[in-house]
């Protein structure tokens, strides 16, 4: 009933516990849409290994190569990577070994831990795609638990700017930064890449990745 519904009025969310068939529903929905759409369809998820599994299962589900080729299976990080690469060349991703000492150094001038600064950057600044200190000083920090004064927010902002400036200087970026950059590039282009997007394990996605989709 869900996978072969003729048409929803907008986005549809399917929830259920483990093993209830959500992933199977996504795959059958993709096949159903591919039979009826000439435009590309994206099936995506958070983890790369899960995307590979989805790809293999679609190959078993759809024997007709003309229908199968309409569906692209790509995890969100790779999608962002490809969009940015096409626009400005191959991005270099900063891994945890690179990031950890940068956050440790940035934290020395603040009363905060490196982990708190990194989480604030990812869960507030990148999540809301904030570009100015003023925007951060006035934004909502729902779910962060620890309240911050304006002076403390200013300290956090300066620390995050130090880290992002260091990454920029060596030509590196994180996956979440890449998602925000890819979103800006798509908005500038003003064209839609896919007719439909189906997301598996949607609860694992970051707000920056949702904006990209």
């Amino acid at each position: 009933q869900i996978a072969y519904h003729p048409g929803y009025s907008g986005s549809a969310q399917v929830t259920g516990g483990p093993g209830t068939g959500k992933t199977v529903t996504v795959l059958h929905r993709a096949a159903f849409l591919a039979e009826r759409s000439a435009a590309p369809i994206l099936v995506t998820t958070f983890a790369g290994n899960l995307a590979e599994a989805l790809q293999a299962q679609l190959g078993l589900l759809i024997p007709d190569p003309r229908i199968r080729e309409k569906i692209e299976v790509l995890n969100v990080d790779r999608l962002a990577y490809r969009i940015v690469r096409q626009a400005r060349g191959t991005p270099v991703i900063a891994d945890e070994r690179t990031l950890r000492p940068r956050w440790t150094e940035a934290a020395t001038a603040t009363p905060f831990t490196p982990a708190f600064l990194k989480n604030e950057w990812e869960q507030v600044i990148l999540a809301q795609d904030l570009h100015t200190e003023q925007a951060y000083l006035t934004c909502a920090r729902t779910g962060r638990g620890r309240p911050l004064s304006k002076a403390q927010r200013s300290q956090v902002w300066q620390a995050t700017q130090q880290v992002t400036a260091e990454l920029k200087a060596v030509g590196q970026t994180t996956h979440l930064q890449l998602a925000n950059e890819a979103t800006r590039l798509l908005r500038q282009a003003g064209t839609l890449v896919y007719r439909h997007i189906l997301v598996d394990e949607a609860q694992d996605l970051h707000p920056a990745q949702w904006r990209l989709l």
Side-chain angles (χ1 to χ4, degrees):
Q1 290 177 343
I2 295 170
Y4 295 94
H5 191 284
Y8 294 94
S9 60
S11 298
Q13 180 185 31
V14 179
T15 62
T20 51
K22 300 183 299 299
T23 297
V24 173
T25 301
V26 164
L27 296 172
H28 278 267
R29 183 67 181 171
F32 175 81
L33 293 172
E35 290 178 354
R36 289 156 176 76
S37 174
I41 295 166
L42 174 67
V43 174
T44 189
T45 187
F46 176 74
N49 57 349
L50 181 54
E52 292 170 3
L54 293 173
Q55 186 145 281
Q57 291 165 16
L58 273 174
L60 297 173
L61 179 63
I62 306 173
D64 189 337
R66 292 173 300 175
I67 296 174
R68 175 63 188 85
E69 68 183 10
K70 297 179 188 177
I71 305 171
E72 183 167 15
V73 183
L74 203 63
N75 80 307
V76 183
D77 286 341
R78 290 183 181 176
L79 175 66
Y81 186 93
R82 185 178 67 187
I83 292 167
V84 173
R85 184 187 62 199
Q86 291 172 343
R88 65 165 174 86
T90 303
V92 179
I93 304 299
D95 59 23
E96 283 302 314
R97 291 175 299 175
T98 301
L99 291 168
R100 195 174 297 115
R102 297 191 188 282
W103 285 114
T104 300
E105 182 183 349
T108 58
T110 77
F112 307 109
T113 65
F116 178 87
L117 290 175
K118 180 175 181 288
N119 288 337
E120 186 75 6
W121 183 58
E122 292 181 344
Q123 296 175 25
V124 179
I125 295 173
L126 291 180
Q128 299 182 40
D129 199 17
L130 305 176
H131 295 279
T132 66
E133 182 174 356
Q134 183 60 32
Y136 175 60
L137 291 177
T138 56
C139 77
R141 298 175 59 255
T142 306
R144 287 295 288 145
R146 176 178 178 175
L148 297 177
S149 67
K150 283 201 170 184
Q152 288 174 319
R153 288 200 193 199
S154 186
Q155 286 180 307
V156 171
W157 180 261
Q158 296 307 319
T160 62
Q161 290 305 289
Q162 176 182 324
V163 172
T164 54
E166 290 172 356
L167 290 175
K168 186 176 181 180
V170 294
Q172 295 184 348
T173 186
T174 68
H175 282 297
L176 294 181
Q177 286 179 296
L178 214 60
N180 279 336
E181 183 178 353
T183 300
R184 289 192 291 273
L185 289 167
L186 290 181
R187 284 173 175 165
Q188 290 167 8
T191 55
L192 297 177
V193 183
Y194 301 102
R195 179 65 185 88
H196 301 284
I197 298 177
L198 297 99
V199 185
D200 195 29
E201 301 294 350
Q203 73 281 353
D204 292 332
L205 296 187
H206 184 272
Q209 295 169 322
W210 272 116
R211 262 195 309 275
L212 171 59
L213 297 178

